[in-house]
Amino acid sequence: MISRRALTTSCLPPTIRQLLSSRTASDPVQVNGWVKSVRRQKKVAFAMISDGSSDKGLQAVFTKVDLAKPLTNGCSVRLTGKLADSPGKGQDKELQVDQVELLGECDPAEYPIQKQALSVEHLRDHCHLRARTDEITAMIRLRDLASRSLCRYFEDQGFCYVHTPITTSSDCEGAGEAFRIAPPPSPDLPSSENPAEFFGRPAYLTVSSQLHLEALANAISRVYTLSPCFRAERSQTNRHLAEFWMLEAEWAFTRDIDDVCTVLEGSLRHVLKQAGASGEPVWTAGERARLPQLQAYADSDTAWPRLTYAAAVAELEAFHAASPRTFDFAPAWGRPLQSEHERWLAEHLARGPLFVTDYPAHLKAFYMRQNDAPGRDPRTVACVDLLVPGLGELAGGSLREEREDRLRGAMVRFGLGEEEYGWYLDLRRYGGAPHGGFGLGFERLISWMSGVENVRECIPIPRWAGRMLL
Ligand SMILES: NC(=O)C[C@H](N)C(=O)O
């Protein structure tokens, strides 16, 4: 006989955030969390309890001082008591504790997350525990909010959220940064028969979902994904990770690079607005100070400025001629924009986000559409980089070359074989529509919004050259 029981829709106790937003009730409540600090006086003890759901945590008050005895920084507890209006400064409510259950002990002498300010390096060395700090908690919640609001924007624009493979046979950006995947040798086969390639051909971790998204956009019209990408980037900068997340959107029936700018700008304005207006605990006190600036970018009633690469280089050259000591690298047409140039353009020229379009083809990837309409410089491609103050490049996109003959020509110039990219040519051969899209570095977005300079602090568990702790 099977037994049936009443349907329960939720079995989870309320989080601290949920408790704090409820009216003060006289019924006893239970609070689960980790102890952030304990202060003991003669007749009363206080503990800050956090479960990561609210920026402040909850102050627990123990009038029976002995109840607080087992509490140490870092231990996990379940406290039962009454939620009451707090006479203390900086909090509306407090928990008057009647009962304490120690769930997990924590030796305060060994606990690496001490109350005093901890160095970034120390926290990187303990990245399995650093989510217990207010800064990392806020960042993780900002990632959550930013992903939800990006998804919302694309849903509203008629895009379909798709899932693309992480393993791939191609290096989309052609920068030689794709990690190769090596299968373990099969114990059942003699080594001479062990296939070197698990998939029957060389396989890599994806550097970008773009090429796969193009296949889907040429059937579903508007697609996007938010997924991890991997690049064997060896330089140690504050803008690069070996494993990072990218929001990539791709859509068909678009012919103008201005459309790519407009969709990208729309999605970012939406995220900035949502994050600025949200009461969610996604900002530390310092980060909140940035909100008026972010809000101004989101609310400005003119579109973010757009400038061609040629015009941007002319501006840089003029500035470089007048103040030759500002840049380490002299700007010139045909040379890549260095990050110092990108920042100058956004910070001094535009004083805000700036789209730079139409770069020389030789500086960009093989798939970008050649600018060969009358009046356009045929040495350039229809592409865009979005530059923002404090960071430089935040996103990049392009129209994709949909004309088979031009694409073949580009593949020859870039040394890409038809065997590998035959399927990509098929997308053009069989009703290929004009299309384009962009990729937005998700950690860079978080860095830009929060003002946290290094992207290593913009992802919960970072990986970079020489570092993978867990
Ligand atoms: N989807 C994109 O356009 C992003 C581009 N493939 C990049 O990695 O920069």
Side-chain angles (χ1 to χ4, degrees), residues 253-267:
F253 312 113
T254 201
R255 278 187 192 281
D256 198 329
I257 193 64
D258 263 340
D259 295 349
V260 177
C261 300
T262 302
V263 176
L264 175 51
E265 179 171 344
S267 64

Side-chain angles (χ1 to χ4, degrees), residues 172-173 207-208 210 231 246 248 250 367 396-397 400 437-439:
C172 166
E173 292 305 301
V207 297
S208 158
Q210 180 199 317
R231 292 189 190 176
M246 186 145 62
E248 296 188 87
E250 195 73 30
Y367 51 72
R400 319 306 187 187
F438 65 82

Side-chain angles (χ1 to χ4, degrees), residues 157-211:
Q157 299 292 317
F159 280 72
C160 179
Y161 183 23
V162 296
H163 304 110
T164 47
I166 300 298
T167 50
T168 171
S169 60
S170 53
D171 175 2
C172 166
E173 292 305 301
E177 292 175 339
F179 285 102
R180 181 84 179 256
I181 304 171
S186 162
D188 305 329
L189 291 173
S191 58
S192 59
E193 281 173 40
N194 239 309
E197 302 296 351
F198 183 85
F199 296 104
R201 62 191 297 182
Y204 306 91
L205 293 176
T206 190
V207 297
S208 158
S209 302
Q210 180 199 317
L211 305 189

Side-chain angles (χ1 to χ4, degrees), residues 142 145-151 153 265-277 283 298 440 442 445-446 449:
L142 180 58
L145 185 145
S147 9
R148 279 184 282 120
S149 59
L150 282 167
C151 288
Y153 173 83
E265 179 171 344
S267 64
L268 286 171
R269 281 180 182 248
H270 183 77
V271 177
L272 296 179
K273 276 192 192 144
Q274 297 268 301
W283 309 106
L440 167 68
F442 194 63
L445 173 64
I446 300 301
M449 290 173 72

Side-chain angles (χ1 to χ4, degrees), residues 277-348:
S278 166
E280 293 182 51
V282 298
W283 309 106
T284 61
E287 290 162 13
R288 259 178 209 289
R290 298 172 59 77
L291 290 186
Q293 182 61 77
L294 295 180
Q295 225 44 54
Y297 297 147
D299 292 340
S300 77
D301 48 16
T302 51
W304 295 347
R306 300 169 189 189
L307 196 64
T308 63
Y309 164 89
V313 168
E315 295 281 358
L316 289 164
E317 282 176 329
F319 179 75
H320 186 60
S323 345
R325 261 179 263 151
T326 312
F327 298 138
D328 291 334
F329 296 87
W333 197 98
R335 293 192 194 149
L337 295 185
Q338 301 295 329
S339 95
E340 58 178 356
H341 303 145
E342 295 175 341
R343 290 189 55 165
W344 183 85
L345 288 166
E347 287 160 21
H348 298 278

